Structures are given as C-alpha cells and as structure tokens.
Amino acid sequence: MPRPKRATLKSIAADLGITHTSVSNAYNNPAKVSKDLRDRIFAHARHVHYEGPNPAARSLRTGQCGAIGVLFNDQLSYAFTDPHDIAFLRGISSVCEEEGANIVLIPLKDRHPERLDTLTAIVDGYILNAPYKSNPTIRKALARGLPTVVVDFDAPGLPSVRTNDRAMMRQVVSHLIDHGHRRIAIVTFPWTEDHGEIYALDRDFSDENYVVHERILGCRDAFDDAGIARHGILVCETRNSEEGGADAVDRLLQRQRDLTAIVCFSDRLAHGVMTACEALGRPVPGRMSVTGYDGIDPPGRVADGPRLTTVRQNAFEKGRKAAERLLCDTDGGAAPIGIEAEFVIGDSSAAAWEGTCA
C-alpha cells in the first residue's frame, strides 16, 4: 500500500488555490496575510496533519537558527541554583517568549570544553553575562561578529547593560566607616579566572572582570575619602558560594584576628560569611558586621538570621533589557543601558565592636 504523501507548503497552497508565498507568510510573516486567510490555511493544515515548516530547513534557507546564546562564567548547574542568575535568565526568557526566540546556555566552565564550539555555532547572537575578557570562548564568540550585547562587561563598540557597581560599593564601605569600622576586609569572587589569593587593596588590579574591577574601585574610593590606607585592607578571593564565603572567613582571620567588618561582593558570599562567624563565636552584627550585594536571598538562608545589609540590583531587568536590545532594538547603537541599584541597610551591620580578640 503506497504511503500517503506528506503535506507541504506547496501542497496546501494547491489545495486552497492560493500562492505558495501566502502559505509561507502565514507561518513566517503573519502580518502580511489577513486573519481570515491565516485561519483558512491553519485549519486546512490541521486537517492534513501538517505541523509547520521544518526549522532545520528554515535555518538553511535564512541562515538563522532562531536562538541566542547566553554565555556565563560557571558550570551549567549554577544557572539553575544561583538566585541572581535565575532572575537574570527569567528576564531574558520573558523577551524570548515574546519574540519567538530560543535560548542556548553556554557555561564557560565545562568538563568538555571542545563542545562549546558546537554550542556557539547554533545561535544568531550573544548575551555575555559578566565574563572574563581573556576567556577563549568569549574571544571566539566576539570574533564571529554576530549581534552581541554585553552585561556587566566592557567591550568597546558593543551595546552594554551595566549596574552602577562603583557608586554602590563606595556607599556600602562608607556606611561601615561611618559606624566606626576601620578593620575591614573584602571577600570577592576571583578577578581573574581560577585565582584564590589574599592580598592588600593597594595591589594593581586588571579589568579582566568588569564587576570585580568596578566594585574594587568603589571600595578604594570610600577608603580614600576617609583617609584609610589601602595597604591595611585585605581582599580575599574565593568561589562565589556560601561555602566560599565560609572558607574566606577562616583564611582572613588567620591573617587578621581583629576584623570587625567584612564586605562581600555577593549575597551568597555574605551568608556564608555570617554562618562561619556565628560558628566561630563572632555573632553578626555584635562582633562582626557583614554586607552583601545582589538583594536576592540565597538558597538555604536561615530565616530568622539577621536581615542582610546589601545592594539590591534588578537582575530580571538586566536580563530583559539585554534581550530587548539584542532582539528588538537592533538600531540602538552601542550606547550603554544603565540599571540603577539600591543600597539597603539591614540588620547585619552595626557600630564597630571595640572589645579584644582571643
């Protein structure tokens, strides 16, 4: 028994006595076809079990994949566990849903880096989320010349979405200084990939990671304003997690036992720092003041713990603005889009403790 012929755009056009272009436009350019005609085409397509144009064939014909690549600094699972990144991706996906685009997540920490070339080849454009400038995958992505929007990243000639990191960190540190703190340390994710050092704030910093660079500059501004020497302020690099924050406390206290405040570059780091301080008999904020950055509660936060003093940034809006700029506002040039963050004073910062350390 011969197999029935599969319906195609041409066969539907012939059945309805209309042009192939009209049927194609109903699927690919619906604004060019009247509603009545679209309804006729779709009704007949359902009748003959036609599911729509083949996406692979459309990609070959148009040279477009219908997807954008989102590159970020960690492993794939991080995008589904970090509250900031979850909100950021929700912002991107809200625009993609409206525009009919898909998302390809491209983690820069991958056990099989050879697969990243394949991932970067199946997208029509990129959103780069706070990556390290010299990462090979970032360089390859930029070299392709596809439409690209960078977030918390400095790439001349490309549109960018940025938070006012420097001003916010200046405000955070000034808040602690105003409360009498002078023995302050900083906990950050690494300013270059795979680093994990402790050093003084007077060290030369590269701009390899835009976020770390801007926040360090903001801290320096505040200490310089107060006449506090940079060489007396320790900076500890660690992985951006609660465990990383807890580990940083042990490392810092080995170097400086009399710390009274710790400035963290993320809320996840801050909650790890607070947990470790409590365990070491340095309650927050009585013995140690702690600040964060993001304004999003990490998973596993103790509900009755101190409300964190932090910077609240709108990660959802950052993602949405980046996707709108990439998919909708293609003629917007390279002008940066600013997302203003907000300093929020919680219960985790107070007057500096004046006792002695054991």
Side-chain angles (χ1 to χ4, degrees):
M1 181 177 180
R3 179 182 298 178
K5 287 186 177 180
R6 178 178 174 273
T8 64
L9 292 177
K10 289 184 178 180
S11 69
I12 291 173
D15 292 344
L16 296 176
I18 59 178
T19 66
H20 167 270
T21 301
S22 294
V23 180
S24 177
N25 282 338
Y27 286 95
N28 301 312
N29 265 308
K32 293 186 175 182
V33 182
S34 70
K35 182 180 184 303
D36 289 343
L37 182 54
R38 286 201 311 271
D39 290 344
R40 278 183 62 206
I41 292 169
F42 293 153
H44 184 70
R46 288 192 296 271
H47 177 69
V48 296
H49 307 293
Y50 179 68
E51 301 295 339
N54 186 323
R58 184 189 305 173
S59 175
L60 290 172
R61 186 171 64 253
T62 65
Q64 293 188 330
C65 308
I68 62 173
V70 180
L71 288 84
F72 60 99
N73 276 330
D74 224 289
Q75 295 177 337
L76 185 60
S77 59
Y78 187 86
F80 299 95
T81 56
D82 182 77
H84 175 273
D85 278 21
I86 290 171
F88 178 72
L89 289 172
R90 280 181 50 238
I92 295 175
S93 63
S94 68
V95 178
C96 287
E97 288 175 351
E98 296 166 4
E99 298 300 321
N102 293 311
I103 299 174
V104 177
L105 295 180
I106 306 174
L108 298 182
K109 286 188 179 178
D110 193 292
R111 294 180 181 179
H112 304 281
E114 69 280 359
R115 297 186 305 197
L116 296 181
D117 287 342
T118 303
L119 288 175
T120 58
I122 59 174
V123 300
D124 302 317
Y126 298 107
I127 293 175
L128 310 185
N129 182 25
Y132 293 96
K133 286 186 176 181
S134 61
N135 181 279
T137 302
I138 292 297
R139 291 190 171 189
K140 287 180 182 178
L142 292 174
R144 289 189 66 194
L146 293 177
T148 299
V149 176
V150 297
V151 179
D152 292 335
F153 184 69
D154 183 25
L158 292 177
S160 62
V161 180
R162 303 178 190 172
T163 300
N164 51 333
D165 288 287
R166 182 170 182 170
M168 287 294 96
M169 288 312 305
R170 183 176 193 166
Q171 194 169 348
V172 169
V173 175
S174 295
H175 163 76
L176 293 173
I177 293 172
D178 290 345
H179 280 73
H181 294 276
R182 298 296 182 271
R183 300 184 298 277
I184 303 171
I186 299 168
V187 177
T188 177
F189 30 90
W191 62 278
T192 58
E193 285 191 274
D194 301 321
H195 267 225
E197 302 178 18
I198 294 182
Y199 38 79
L201 188 60
D202 62 350
R203 172 179 178 161
D204 288 335
F205 286 85
S206 80
D207 59 353
E208 170 70 6
N209 184 282
Y210 177 85
V211 172
V212 175
H213 185 254
E214 289 296 297
R215 294 181 189 178
I216 286 290
L217 290 179
C219 293
R220 284 179 169 177
D221 290 341
F223 288 118
D224 291 349
D225 290 345
I228 298 173
R230 297 178 184 178
H231 65 77
I233 306 299
L234 292 177
V235 180
C236 179
E237 295 178 324
T238 188
R239 60 196 183 281
N240 188 25
S241 65
E242 292 78 5
E243 295 78 13
D247 178 64
V249 172
D250 291 333
R251 294 164 61 198
L252 285 168
L253 290 180
Q254 288 176 17
R255 298 276 295 269
Q256 189 175 357
R257 301 284 306 168
D258 61 350
L259 289 174
T260 65
I262 299 179
V263 174
C264 301
F265 282 8
S266 79
D267 287 352
R268 295 190 71 172
L269 290 171
H271 283 286
V273 165
M274 289 197 294
T275 299
C277 286
E278 295 286 349
L280 292 171
R282 295 172 182 250
V284 177
R287 286 278 302 272
M288 187 77 77
S289 287
V290 178
T291 66
Y293 202 111
D294 285 333
I296 302 177
D297 284 340
R301 183 183 77 85
V302 178
D304 59 353
R307 187 169 54 92
L308 184 62
T309 294
T310 187
V311 173
R312 181 184 295 135
Q313 60 172 332
N314 194 332
F316 176 89
E317 190 66 9
K318 279 204 295 187
R320 183 167 180 85
K321 289 294 185 184
E324 286 177 344
R325 181 64 185 79
L326 184 64
L327 295 173
C328 309
D329 186 19
T330 55
D331 297 323
I337 299 169
I339 304 291
E340 293 294 310
E342 175 190 9
F343 180 45
V344 180
I345 299 175
D347 306 319
S348 65
S349 56
W353 185 67
E354 297 180 354
T356 58
C357 297

